[in-house]
Amino acid sequence: MEYLLRGWRKDSGATSSTAMTRSSLRMWALAGALALSMAAVAYRHADLRGSEPARDSRLAAPPRRIELWFTARPQLPFSRIRLAGPHGDVALGRLALDTGNALRADIMMPLGLGDYRVLWQTASADGHSISGEYGFAVVAPSDTASRQPAHAAS
């Protein structure tokens, strides 16, 4: 005898856990896709990868330029670099976007001996704003061997 009667069907032996398993698989697939998309967004955030002069460096010759390298391309309209020295802010030239995810600005006057701070701000393509600062020193030539930085990134 046929078990089909107007919209009813024969019990196939499948339990309700089969439907739940399919639903769970869909939920896990959606969660995985969401996690991957969040990782992709996080990857586009720009973080400082390196700088010249390097963080905590002690230089016998004053630098002529500040260069900052990032993990993602910085957005020039949202970027700033400021150099503060022993006598206040130091004039910098026009901020430029360089190849290799870098920002640079020329230092407009020779730096004297002393401690300096580079303060920076930028945003990446996703609009996430980041900022930071680091220091370096211009010292007499005999003082440069006393302490060199362990790393170039800040």
Side-chain angles (χ1 to χ4, degrees), residues 38-48 70-73 123-130:
M38 293 299 285
V41 168
Y43 180 73
R44 288 184 292 218
H45 290 315
D47 290 317
L48 187 64
F70 295 91
T71 57
R73 190 146 182 91
S124 51
D126 67 356
H128 182 225
S129 178
I130 60 168

Side-chain angles (χ1 to χ4, degrees), residues 66-138:
I66 303 293
E67 291 186 83
L68 305 174
W69 293 278
F70 295 91
T71 57
R73 190 146 182 91
Q75 300 299 303
L76 190 57
F78 305 107
S79 300
R80 291 189 185 112
I81 297 177
R82 187 176 136 227
L83 179 60
H87 305 293
D89 283 354
V90 176
L92 296 176
R94 184 178 169 146
L95 187 62
L97 190 59
D98 215 338
T99 59
N101 299 340
L103 289 173
R104 64 177 163 76
D106 291 333
I107 299 171
M108 302 307 290
M109 57 185 255
L111 300 180
L113 300 179
D115 292 328
Y116 293 86
R117 300 236 27 99
V118 175
L119 300 98
W120 57 268
Q121 175 183 336
T122 192
S124 51
D126 67 356
H128 182 225
S129 178
I130 60 168
S131 61
E133 63 180 83
Y134 69 92
F136 68 91
V138 177

Side-chain angles (χ1 to χ4, degrees), residues 18-34:
T18 303
M20 189 158 210
T21 301
R22 287 182 187 143
S23 176
S24 294
L25 284 174
R26 274 182 244 167
M27 181 185 72
W28 282 109
L30 181 60
L34 182 62

